[in-house]
Amino acid sequence: MAGEQISLHGSGGDLNMFPSETNAAAHTIGDAGRIIGDTWKAVGPALAADEAAVGTGLDDLSAAFRNKYNASKPQLEKLAAGAEDNFTKMGTNANEIVAKYVELAREQADRLRRV
């Protein structure tokens, strides 16, 4: 069942939103960070061990791939290591934005009613 929709149309405001659903979606984004972080912590060491065991001299194609991969590996590792924090921040920011948006819409509606 859908949550309460806040609608200030006709009251001098302009907001149509389902804040609880929007906040739930933001929490899902934040939760994704934890899932990504937990997964990276679990597979990162195994991936590093597997990479160390793979040679580069199998053929020209594998050597070319390995050279390109090795060049991008530090950036990929940095992105993976920071994903948990980034997704958590996105979820937190989204919830804060929804709350501020609702607050400002209500303030504007109150101001317009007084005019």
Side-chain angles (χ1 to χ4, degrees):
M1 177 171 216
E4 176 188 3
Q5 180 179 19
I6 293 179
S7 181
L8 299 175
H9 290 294
S11 310
D14 187 17
L15 172 69
N16 267 319
M17 178 187 289
F18 291 98
S20 62
E21 283 84 349
T22 306
N23 284 330
H27 282 290
T28 300
I29 292 169
D31 291 345
R34 181 187 45 78
I35 294 166
I36 292 168
D38 290 348
T39 301
W40 180 248
K41 289 171 192 158
V43 301
L47 182 61
D50 287 348
E51 286 176 350
V54 174
T56 58
L58 300 175
D59 57 35
D60 291 343
L61 182 60
S62 65
F65 169 80
R66 186 63 182 208
N67 287 336
K68 294 286 186 185
Y69 176 78
N70 286 346
S72 62
K73 182 179 175 185
Q75 182 181 8
L76 294 171
E77 288 176 334
K78 182 179 177 182
L79 290 170
E84 179 174 9
D85 188 45
N86 288 332
F87 274 80
T88 300
K89 285 178 182 176
M90 284 188 284
T92 299
N93 288 341
N95 279 314
E96 290 173 0
I97 289 167
V98 169
K100 189 66 172 174
Y101 187 71
V102 170
E103 175 189 341
L104 290 173
R106 286 188 173 145
E107 285 176 11
Q108 289 174 349
D110 289 342
R111 285 182 191 144
L112 287 172
R113 281 189 212 103
R114 290 190 300 255
V115 173

